[in-house]
Amino acid sequence: MPFTRRQFLTLSSVAGAAALLAGCRSPAELLAGLPPPAAWPSGRDPAWHALSRLTFGPRADERAHVAEIGLAAWIDEQLAPEQLDDRPADLRVRRFDILTMDSSLIFDVREANARRQLQQATLLRAVYSRRQLYELMVDFWSDHFSISTAKGDGAWLKPIDDRAVIRPHALGSFRDLLWASLHSPAMLQYLDNHANYRDAPNENYARELMELHTLGVQAGYTQGDVRELARCLTGWTVDQQLFRGQFRFDPAQHDDGAKQVLGLHIPAGGGQHDVEQVFEQLLAHPALPQQIARKLVRRFVADDPPPQLVAAVATTFTHTRGEIKAVLRTLLHAPEFATAPPKFKRPLHYLAGALRQLNANTNGGPPLLEALARMGQPLFMWPTPDGFPDATAAWSGGLLTRWQLALALATNALPGTSIDLDALMRAAGTREATGLLDRLGTLLLGAPLAPAVRGQVAGALAHTGDDRAAYVAALLAAPAYQWR
Amino acid sequence: MLNQRRTLLRVAAYRRVARAWPGWMPRMSFAPYQSAPRGDVLVCVFLRGAADVLNMVVPHGEAAYYSARAALAIPRPDDPRARADLRAIDLDGFFGLHPALAPLWPAWQARQLAFVHACGAPDESRSHFQAMELMERGVDSAAGPASGWLGRHLGSLSTGTRSPLRAIGLGERVPRALLGPVPAAALRSIADFHLGGDARAAEQLRGALAALYAGGDPLDTLGREALGLAELIEQLDPLGYRPAADARYPEGDFGMGLRQLAMLIKAEVGLEVACLDMGGWDTHVAQGGSQGWMAGLLAELGAGLAALHADLAAQADRLLVVVMSEFGRRVEENGGLGTDHGHGSMLLLLGGGVVGGRVYGRWPGLAPEQLVGPGDLAVTTDYRDVLGEIVARRLNNPRLAEVFPGYTPRFLEVVHQRAAVAGSSHSRRSSP
């Protein structure tokens, strides 16, 4: 018997919000029906499954909250993030002035400092925000419209893109999101459009705008379309002088001749409006809903997106003209979501999840950011504009770096981050090896380890100096913890 | 003197390894790996971002090159208006090396360096991602196997080695080219490859991990490989590695990666294929000519390859380095003093088995009517012709149809047929 109600409640209170638990259905009842981990992860409890997918890691208090209000209501809550009081996260990121500085001041911050502040705030929000689905969508769009802070003025401009492009529209309309990204100085500079001149067009942004941001490489556009779109985008630039870092349309650098993009004739003399016409053309293109749907389904359901679900999500995208909440509703309420196979955690998910589930106290500082980089996900530093990969094969080679982190985290070896092992032990209510492993297993993996494995793990750890830390490390390093 | 020192170091490496040799490998100090039908150690360097090969190996005999690149061209080897150290280094009267690649000159003179110019893939998407993906998979189009060409090579050839270091990618993740039935490890840095913490805690965790990763899932296999690897590398003492005296690796990830590869190759840990990336080649703006952004990258590339070549002089007969990039860049420079995405690229080959001192490939020319697409170098040699020849002749793998499905490579005779290994009881010689 993995858990009593009292034990779960204590564990939950360790993890934060005991007040939320009043009147909830017995979590023991919820957990009792879990299959043995030998069968994991094929038939997990729906709430655990959903929380693993829709948060950076199922905290015990969040599990108790779902048990209380039900999964559907919880999803509704998450789709209305503005209604969720998020002071715990807001307070923790308030000291990062890069998040509010505008471009008239931001360039005074040292480059490495500017980059680190954005990385640190992002990690802290992943760990502490109650708006978990929103933060996951911010993560999704940050990959979709990926910008590396290692290029050009990215370290200063990406924080502005983060708050002016990605965050306002992460659950809004794709139309607004794309429009904002088109005017983003960070994006225009990252993809070299500031050097896209009338007499010397630079195709970089035009190409990625069609290939990565909207239509996909197989959509049937041609090299001619890329060239013509690049002409439309001439003169869309970023000020380098007085108003450094601000968007500017430079008519003197705009190619004002007639153009032909994706079959659309754009008459001469359109100026800045050339792009508006192509924008409508891109939004109306049938490849767009397909491409966005495929990427969303890949992120939330499976590396190989089920075609029927992609079609259903794309249909909602088309009917709602890209309303992201509606698109997500279709996705999250589909049977394919409920029965989705496990997804391999990306490093941010792995780290933030461990911190959440262990109720760590962290400042999200450099030791954690360096660990993320070692695991392969240095935030906002993916070198190419396609964003961090979203497939098991891209990440499964990095187990050792995860084990290193697991050990460091469990032994409180990372400055600025601590977990309260004593409190965890008190909550677990036992120091006896198998009972402790079972309770920590339920906290971290959703279910205890299979008895045979548990026995061997307990045997291997029998003589450690601090067995509590060793147990936590082993569970974070376990194969089951690599999946969500 | 030098050789003596090198031998001593090798012996020391052998001793360390022999002491630590895990059960799944034969004891190499007595039965070296050459007894298996193993070919060269292949080091694949991928220049991410489409390197401007026209400024790496410069067609200085082409007037069209100079008219298309008023600002970016590398001056002719005999251009009296340019400083001598900023001119191309003549290779054969028509092509010349970018001056920043000067460290490679000794390898060229030793005939262990060759280029295949106007070489590349049929894909004309000019998309970095599609081109890299197709090239790493070794296929023409989205159809075809999802695995990588190196992964299929490893999967289709049994060399008798079960080392977890048979294939590695130095970097954050396993490159696409290595994906396949044989697990490949991603190593960011060899020195980092241990569990960390205090020795006792790490030892305990290792025991727990062995129990946790004992299953039959692919992830279990990866976990066991990682454990084996960590154990092996802890014994290798990567921080104590000293390269040969005349080998000077450049600072930075690339040089560090090559240095670590050299250590693994000398330590005979069963390494067959290593992949290494170098980024930063997407030079749309302010690319520079003999000096500047790209020249800096080339200096790092040239110095790194030259150091590896010098460090492994004694092992040159089983070292083969291939440098590739997803496509080339537009012939005409753009208004931002950079170059846009183009088509034809180039391969660089370095090693004892290379028939070097030559630039291979039919040169299509750079006159406007000779270009393809929006003004790009044509591809006259499919990259798989060269890689296929290497797979067959240097890696001893005759099963080219599996490595490059749907394509029949035509050999250019750029590498020597690898000789059968002396003293081998069951080595196989393959014929293409």
Side-chain angles (χ1 to χ4, degrees):
Chain A
M1 194 209 64
F3 252 108
T4 67
R5 178 183 156 82
R6 187 187 61 76
Q7 282 160 338
F8 184 81
L9 287 176
T10 350
L11 212 45
S12 299
S13 72
V14 166
L20 288 170
L21 296 176
C24 76
R25 191 153 68 91
S26 158
E29 211 178 295
L30 241 129
L31 293 170
L34 286 187
W40 195 92
S42 53
R44 288 179 295 166
D45 150 49
W48 174 269
H49 172 77
L51 284 174
S52 300
R53 274 313 141 96
L54 304 179
T55 73
F56 277 100
R59 286 178 60 108
D61 54 353
E62 203 81 63
R63 289 163 75 184
H65 183 48
V66 173
E68 184 187 5
I69 68 170
L71 190 54
W74 182 84
I75 289 176
D76 286 341
E77 271 186 13
Q78 289 291 315
L79 285 173
E82 61 288 347
Q83 315 267 335
L84 289 169
D85 175 9
D86 211 17
R87 271 173 296 181
D90 293 342
L91 288 171
R92 284 177 195 262
V93 302
R94 204 169 53 171
R95 64 196 178 88
F96 301 116
D97 43 19
I98 200 88
L99 300 182
T100 49
M101 274 181 175
D102 68 29
S103 59
S104 64
L105 295 170
I106 210 162
F107 288 98
D108 293 336
V109 180
R110 286 203 356 263
E111 183 178 8
N113 183 16
R115 178 184 300 119
R116 184 190 47 75
Q117 285 195 35
L118 179 63
Q119 293 173 324
Q120 206 167 343
T122 301
L123 176 56
L124 285 171
R125 283 166 164 158
V127 175
Y128 291 110
S129 177
R130 291 188 61 211
R131 301 165 181 172
Q132 285 284 299
L133 181 55
Y134 171 73
E135 291 298 330
L136 283 175
M137 287 306 292
V138 168
D139 186 49
F140 175 83
W141 295 120
S142 300
D143 279 329
H144 186 83
F145 293 102
S146 184
I147 293 169
S148 169
T149 58
K151 178 175 171 180
D153 287 344
W156 298 284
L157 295 180
K158 175 61 200 177
I160 298 174
D161 179 273
D162 187 62
R163 66 166 180 263
V165 178
I166 306 292
R167 294 191 156 269
H169 306 297
L171 282 176
S173 104
F174 182 79
R175 179 192 188 88
D176 298 343
L177 177 60
L178 182 64
W179 185 248
S181 181
L182 265 167
H183 294 80
S184 167
M187 184 61 83
L188 292 170
Q189 206 210 40
Y190 175 56
L191 291 177
D192 302 316
N193 208 69
H194 63 300
N196 184 12
Y197 309 116
R198 185 184 58 205
D199 299 324
N202 188 304
E203 296 169 1
N204 204 18
Y205 183 41
R207 181 184 308 281
E208 309 306 11
L209 182 57
M210 289 204 280
E211 176 178 342
L212 296 175
H213 299 170
T214 56
L215 306 184
V217 71
Q218 310 289 355
Y221 59 85
T222 64
Q223 168 62 30
D225 290 320
V226 172
R227 193 175 53 230
E228 293 289 287
L229 177 53
R231 291 179 61 215
C232 294
L233 281 161
T234 47
W236 285 57
T237 191
V238 182
D239 247 314
Q240 291 301 313
Q241 308 297 326
L242 195 54
F243 298 102
R244 183 179 173 193
Q246 291 197 17
F247 170 78
R248 184 163 64 90
F249 177 72
D250 180 357
Q253 282 304 340
H254 184 67
D255 176 345
D256 237 352
K259 292 131 192 145
Q260 182 93 17
V261 187
L262 296 168
L264 175 77
H265 178 72
I266 298 169
Q272 192 174 353
H273 300 301
D274 285 356
V275 170
E276 278 172 31
Q277 298 181 53
V278 183
F279 177 72
E280 298 300 338
Q281 192 79 351
L282 290 171
L283 285 173
H285 198 290
L288 171 68
Q290 293 293 328
Q291 153 108 327
I292 304 295
R294 201 176 301 112
K295 288 182 80 168
L296 277 170
V297 173
R298 181 175 298 128
R299 179 63 60 97
F300 286 102
V301 177
D303 286 3
D304 291 320
Q308 317 88 301
L309 181 57
V310 172
V313 172
T315 302
T316 304
F317 189 101
T318 307
H319 287 160
T320 63
R321 304 170 133 259
E323 286 306 321
I324 297 162
K325 283 180 187 173
V327 168
L328 281 177
R329 266 183 218 285
T330 299
L331 199 165
L332 301 180
H333 293 294
E336 290 93 337
F337 175 77
T339 58
K343 278 278 289 187
F344 201 76
K345 287 176 186 169
R346 304 202 305 174
L348 175 62
H349 209 105
Y350 179 78
L351 171 62
L355 296 166
R356 284 171 61 76
Q357 290 176 273
L358 293 169
N359 194 34
N361 188 20
T362 182
N363 63 10
L368 294 185
L369 299 175
E370 282 157 24
L372 266 179
R374 270 200 302 281
M375 292 190 288
Q377 201 176 6
L379 297 179
F380 307 109
M381 293 186 78
W382 181 247
T384 49
D386 52 345
F388 289 107
D390 188 14
T392 305
W395 302 105
S396 57
L399 281 174
L400 188 86
T401 50
R402 296 179 180 215
W403 299 343
Q404 290 170 335
L405 176 70
L407 190 60
L409 201 58
T411 53
N412 277 323
L414 297 163
T417 300
S418 63
I419 57 172
D420 189 342
L421 285 167
D422 291 332
L424 274 178
M425 294 311 119
R426 278 197 303 279
T430 176
R431 299 217 42 169
E432 175 266 325
T434 52
L436 189 54
L437 269 175
D438 280 357
R439 274 151 209 174
L440 291 174
T442 309
L443 181 72
L444 292 170
L445 311 174
L449 291 169
V453 178
R454 180 189 62 198
Q456 288 173 28
V457 172
L461 299 179
H463 306 293
T464 41
D466 184 353
D467 52 353
R468 309 168 307 171
Y471 287 0
V472 172
L475 288 168
L476 294 178
Y481 196 72
Q482 312 310 313
W483 305 89
R484 60 191 175 98
Chain B
M1 179 64 199
L2 263 180
N3 279 338
Q4 224 170 23
R5 179 158 176 264
R6 217 171 278 160
T7 312
L8 279 174
L9 284 169
R10 283 176 69 190
V11 170
Y14 284 158
R15 287 220 184 96
R16 275 198 296 277
V17 172
R19 196 178 59 223
W21 217 239
W24 39 256
M25 289 173 77
R27 299 186 70 84
M28 66 100 249
S29 37
F30 302 105
Y33 268 100
Q34 282 87 335
S35 65
R38 196 174 58 118
D40 288 358
V41 178
L42 178 64
V43 176
C44 266
V45 176
F46 208 113
L47 308 180
R48 304 280 172 184
D52 181 19
V53 296
L54 290 172
N55 270 15
M56 281 173 77
V57 172
V58 180
H60 65 73
E62 275 267 6
Y65 169 76
Y66 290 96
S67 47
R69 297 193 164 191
L72 300 186
I74 310 302
R76 290 187 179 89
D78 56 357
D79 186 342
R81 292 160 305 170
R83 248 168 57 193
D85 61 333
L86 300 182
R87 301 175 197 159
I89 302 165
D90 185 43
L91 293 174
D92 60 3
F94 183 82
F95 291 110
L97 270 186
H98 188 288
L101 290 176
L104 290 174
W105 181 246
W108 175 265
Q109 283 183 309
R111 301 196 167 275
Q112 297 199 354
L113 173 66
F115 301 95
V116 186
H117 223 316
C119 181
D123 174 64
E124 285 212 47
S125 67
R126 292 175 178 77
S127 147
H128 291 301
F129 315 104
Q130 174 157 319
M132 280 193 280
E133 185 196 319
L134 294 179
M135 193 172 257
E136 291 192 78
R137 286 166 60 204
V139 293
D140 281 343
S141 67
S147 51
W149 70 277
L150 286 168
R152 291 192 299 276
H153 154 66
L154 291 162
S156 61
L157 181 74
S158 167
T159 55
T161 308
R162 284 267 305 124
S163 166
L165 286 171
R166 197 178 165 204
I168 64 172
L170 274 175
E172 310 295 356
R173 60 192 54 74
V174 175
R176 187 76 192 248
L178 280 177
L179 292 188
V182 174
L187 302 181
R188 185 172 165 273
S189 156
I190 287 169
D192 282 348
F193 223 78
H194 56 80
L195 276 176
D198 70 88
R200 200 174 130 89
E203 186 55 42
Q204 307 277 4
L205 183 57
R206 252 200 291 275
L209 287 169
L212 287 163
Y213 284 84
D217 202 74
L219 191 64
D220 290 315
T221 311
L222 286 172
R224 288 196 296 274
E225 303 285 3
L227 271 175
L229 204 54
E231 226 164 280
L232 182 58
I233 286 172
E234 270 174 45
Q235 304 293 336
L236 278 178
D237 185 19
L239 296 176
Y241 174 71
R242 295 281 170 273
D246 46 349
R248 301 185 68 110
Y249 291 96
E251 298 287 313
D253 288 348
F254 182 65
M256 183 58 76
L258 290 173
R259 182 189 153 104
Q260 297 181 344
L261 283 182
M263 181 201 74
L264 289 179
I265 292 169
K266 287 187 198 176
E268 303 271 1
V269 294
L271 179 66
E272 293 179 31
V273 175
C275 290
L276 195 61
D277 283 353
M278 195 176 166
W281 301 89
D282 198 12
T283 49
H284 282 278
V285 175
Q287 169 178 321
S290 298
Q291 301 175 90
W293 173 7
M294 183 174 161
L297 291 171
L298 289 172
E300 191 178 350
L301 176 70
L305 295 179
L308 182 75
H309 189 242
D311 197 6
L312 293 175
Q315 290 85 3
D317 60 332
R318 57 187 195 84
L319 170 70
L320 189 72
V321 183
V322 178
V323 181
M324 60 207 290
S325 192
E326 64 267 32
F327 48 77
R329 305 194 76 83
R330 193 84 23 101
V331 174
E332 184 156 19
E333 64 194 25
N334 67 26
L337 298 184
T339 47
D340 287 316
H341 295 188
H343 187 46
S345 180
M346 183 186 81
L347 290 180
L348 177 158
L349 307 180
L350 172 70
V354 176
V355 186
R358 283 183 57 186
V359 179
Y360 291 84
R362 185 177 69 75
W363 183 247
L366 297 182
E369 70 279 6
Q370 294 166 320
L371 303 179
V372 298
D376 301 340
L377 178 64
V379 169
T380 57
T381 305
D382 191 291
Y383 70 106
R384 292 166 293 187
D385 291 341
V386 182
L387 300 183
E389 184 179 341
I390 290 168
V391 167
R393 295 188 160 180
R394 302 302 305 176
L395 304 183
N396 294 342
N397 188 349
R399 302 169 78 170
L400 287 184
E402 281 179 47
V403 181
F404 296 111
Y407 187 78
T408 310
R410 287 168 295 250
F411 296 173
L412 278 69
E413 317 284 334
V414 291
V415 291
H416 297 287
Q417 171 69 53
R418 188 179 163 81
V421 177
S424 157
S425 51
H426 46 251
S427 91
R428 282 184 293 166
R429 274 192 70 161
S430 55
S431 47

